[in-house]
Amino acid sequence: MSTDHPLPEAHWFRNAAPYIHAHRGRTFVIAFTGEAIQGPTFPHLIHDIALLGSLGIQLVLVHGARPQIEATLAQRGLNLRYVNGLRVTDDAALFCVKQAIGAVRVEIEALLSMGLPNSPMAGAQVRVAAGNFITARPLGVREGVDYCHTGEVRKVDIEAIRQRLNSGAIVLLSPLGYSLTGEVFNLSAEEVATVSAIALGADKLIFIGTGLPAAAPSPLPRELNPQEAEQLLRSTSELPDELVCHLQSAIHACRSRVPRVHIIDQHLDGALLMELFSRDGIGTLVTAIAFEDTRRAMIEDVGGILELIAPLEERGLLVRRSRERLEMEIHHFTVMERDGTIIGCAALYPFPEEKIGELACLVVHPDYRQSGRATALLTGIEKAAKQQGLSRLCVLTTQTAHWFRERGFEPSSLEALPENKRALYNYQRNSKVFVKSL
C-alpha cells in the first residue's frame, strides 16, 4: 500500500529536524519541582532529558524537594515554618532538609544511570555531575525574624559547571548552598535555577511545574513578553503561588539576557519534547525576543516562500512561480516569520502611474488560518501601498472572493486593472477582479 501522506511519526520527526540542529551545543537549565519527581511520569521525563543530552544539548538540572522535605519533617513530628512567605530553617529542620534532598538527588542519579536493554535509556551512559557549585549566604534577620539556615544564592561556580558540561556530563544542582565558613543553607530551587541560568548565559530556562488547575477560568497564554507577563500578574489573582514564582523568575531572567524561558505543565507526558521540538510548543514561552515578526522579504526567504505556496499552486489556487521569478520579485514580498519559519506571505506590485497596486500571493500556512494573520498581512500591504502614494488596491482571485468582499474589496472589471496587468490576463483561469479604495 502506498500513500502520498507521510506517517505521523515521520512528519513530526521531519518538522523537528530544524530544532534538533538549532539546539545542538546550546545550554538549557531545566528546573522541576519535588511534586514532579513524585509523579508517575517522572521516569519518562528523565528519559526525555537523557534524549536531549544525546542530541548535543548541554543540560543543567535543578530539582525541588518541598513535598519530600515536608514528609521527612512530618515523620519527626516537625513542620517547616513560614514567615512572610519565607521558610525558617532551624537546626532540626535543616537535618530533615539535608536528608530529603540527599534522597531525591540519589533517586534522580539512579534514574539517569539506567541502561537496561529494550528501555528508552538503553545505551545512554549518562554521566551526572553534582557538587558544591552554589555558594550561599544566610537570609539573616529580617523584620525581627531569624531565618536561621534559610539562605540565598551568593555565587555560582560557572567555571566548574562549564568544565563538567564540556566533558559531556549533565550537571545536577540541588536547592542547597554552602558558605565559606562551611555552613549549609536551604535554598529555593527556583532561585538556584534562575541565578544559574543568568550566570551561565543559558539559551533556555525551563520550569516544569504543576501548571494551572483544571478549574482555571482561562489557560495561560502561549507567548508573553516580560511586560505582558507583569500585566498578567497584576491583573490575575487566581494563579497558583508556584506559577506566580515561575512568571516572576521568567521576567527577571529575560531582563537579564536569558533569551527564552519556558513554563511547562508536569502532568503532560512528553511536554518537554513537544515544547522544544515543535513550532508552537505546548507550554508558555516568556521572551523579550520577537517570536513572530512581519517584515520585508529577503533573498534568503525564497525557499520558505516556495514551500509555503507550493500546495496552493498544485491545487491551481495560485499562479505558479519559479524560483528564478521569485528571486527577481522578492522585493515586492512581505513575509510573516514564526520562530524561523515562514508562515505567511503577500506581495504588492505597484503601478505608480495609475496609482494602483496589485495584491498577490496572499498565503497563510494551514496551521495558522482562522487566526487573523491573513487580515494582518492585508493591513500591512494596504499601509505600504498608501506610503507609496497608491489610492487603490486590486486583486485577482478564483476561489476567495467572499474573503476579499468582507474586507472592503468591490467586484470590478478587467478595465480596472493596470494596463500592463490587463495585457497579461489569463482568460483560462478566468479570475475575478476586485478593487478596494485606500
Side-chain angles (χ1 to χ4, degrees):
M1 183 181 74
S2 63
T3 177
D4 293 333
H5 301 288
L7 296 171
E9 294 85 354
H11 179 73
W12 186 89
F13 201 66
R14 289 169 182 165
N15 286 340
Y19 297 96
I20 294 174
H21 297 307
H23 295 335
R24 185 176 293 116
R26 303 292 186 179
T27 301
F28 296 175
V29 175
I30 303 176
F32 42 85
T33 62
E35 288 82 0
I37 296 168
Q38 291 181 328
T41 62
F42 186 64
H44 299 168
L45 175 61
I46 290 295
H47 298 160
D48 294 344
I49 287 171
L51 175 60
L52 298 184
S54 71
L55 295 175
I57 300 171
Q58 295 189 327
L59 298 172
V60 176
L61 309 183
V62 182
H63 72 85
R66 180 174 53 196
Q68 292 85 352
I69 292 171
E70 291 174 351
T72 305
L73 286 165
Q75 290 172 3
R76 294 177 171 268
L78 302 171
N79 290 308
L80 195 61
R81 191 161 62 99
Y82 288 84
V83 179
N84 298 324
L86 298 173
R87 296 166 292 185
V88 178
T89 311
D90 58 22
D91 291 343
L94 180 63
F95 179 85
C96 296
V97 167
K98 291 191 288 186
Q99 184 178 3
I101 288 177
V104 168
R105 186 170 64 193
V106 169
E107 180 182 350
I108 295 170
E109 291 175 346
L111 287 171
L112 285 167
S113 300
M114 287 177 58
L116 290 174
N118 303 318
S119 76
M121 297 283 288
Q125 295 183 328
V126 176
R127 286 182 292 158
V128 184
N132 58 340
F133 300 119
I134 306 296
T135 300
R137 59 178 165 236
L139 284 183
V141 179
R142 300 189 179 189
E143 298 181 5
V145 177
D146 185 355
Y147 288 90
C148 303
H149 301 286
T150 298
E152 59 187 0
V153 178
R154 178 180 179 183
K155 181 183 178 183
V156 181
D157 191 343
I158 298 304
E159 183 178 351
I161 292 176
R162 281 287 177 206
Q163 286 176 352
R164 296 343 183 255
L165 293 175
N166 292 335
S167 71
I170 290 177
V171 172
L172 179 61
L173 301 180
S174 296
L176 289 177
Y178 309 93
S179 72
L180 298 178
T181 58
E183 296 176 273
V184 180
F185 291 100
N186 181 14
L187 305 178
S188 158
E190 188 108 19
E191 183 194 11
V192 171
T194 304
V195 173
S196 298
I198 293 170
L200 283 165
D203 299 281
K204 291 182 184 292
L205 171 59
I206 302 168
F207 291 113
I208 302 175
T210 52
L212 278 175
S218 61
L220 202 63
R222 284 294 179 85
E223 299 147 32
L224 293 165
N225 60 38
Q227 294 76 22
E228 291 168 337
E230 284 183 330
Q231 177 60 32
L232 179 65
L233 289 174
R234 285 195 297 267
S235 62
T236 308
S237 58
E238 298 87 359
L239 295 178
D241 291 343
E242 179 186 282
L243 193 52
V244 170
C245 289
H246 288 343
L247 286 169
Q248 289 172 338
S249 296
I251 293 166
H252 175 49
C254 284
R255 288 177 171 164
S256 301
R257 299 189 178 181
V258 175
R260 293 182 177 183
V261 182
H262 302 259
I263 301 173
I264 306 173
D265 190 338
Q266 69 194 36
H267 300 106
L268 302 177
D269 190 8
L272 178 63
L273 298 182
M274 290 298 298
E275 180 70 8
L276 294 177
F277 295 103
S278 63
R279 188 184 307 124
D280 295 312
I282 200 168
T284 292
L285 171 67
V286 182
T287 177
I289 301 171
F291 188 67
E292 183 171 311
D293 186 29
T294 300
R295 57 174 174 77
R296 293 287 297 273
M298 302 179 293
I299 194 68
E300 294 82 4
D301 299 319
V302 168
I305 295 174
L306 287 172
E307 185 176 348
L308 179 68
I309 67 179
L312 299 183
E313 291 178 343
E314 292 290 337
R315 291 163 53 193
L317 298 178
L318 289 179
V319 176
R320 289 188 179 274
R321 285 173 170 80
S322 66
R323 176 178 286 272
E324 291 75 16
R325 177 185 171 188
L326 188 55
E327 289 176 352
M328 292 176 60
E329 299 179 351
I330 194 66
H331 59 285
H332 291 301
F333 276 76
T334 296
V335 294
M336 189 172 282
E337 182 182 37
R338 182 176 177 82
D339 201 21
T341 299
I342 303 299
I343 64 164
C345 68
L348 171 64
Y349 295 91
F351 297 87
E353 297 84 1
E354 296 155 275
K355 294 189 177 300
I356 189 170
E358 182 195 3
L359 167 66
C361 204
L362 176 59
V363 180
V364 173
H365 190 282
D367 290 349
Y368 302 99
R369 291 173 188 163
Q370 311 302 321
S371 64
R373 287 177 170 85
T375 301
L377 280 168
L378 172 60
T379 300
I381 291 295
E382 290 176 352
K383 181 178 179 181
K386 291 178 183 177
Q387 289 174 342
Q388 296 181 41
L390 307 180
S391 59
R392 292 177 297 154
L393 203 60
C394 68
V395 64
L396 296 169
T397 182
T398 57
Q399 297 183 31
T400 55
H402 281 195
W403 189 90
F404 286 105
R405 288 293 305 274
E406 291 166 3
R407 285 154 182 81
F409 285 80
E410 297 291 340
S412 192
S413 63
L414 288 179
E415 284 67 30
L417 295 176
E419 183 178 349
N420 290 344
K421 184 65 182 178
R422 190 163 62 241
L424 298 173
Y425 181 80
N426 186 336
Y427 286 90
Q428 287 185 325
R429 285 182 59 82
N430 195 29
S431 300
K432 294 183 178 181
V433 179
F434 291 85
V435 175
K436 179 179 182 178
S437 296
L438 301 176

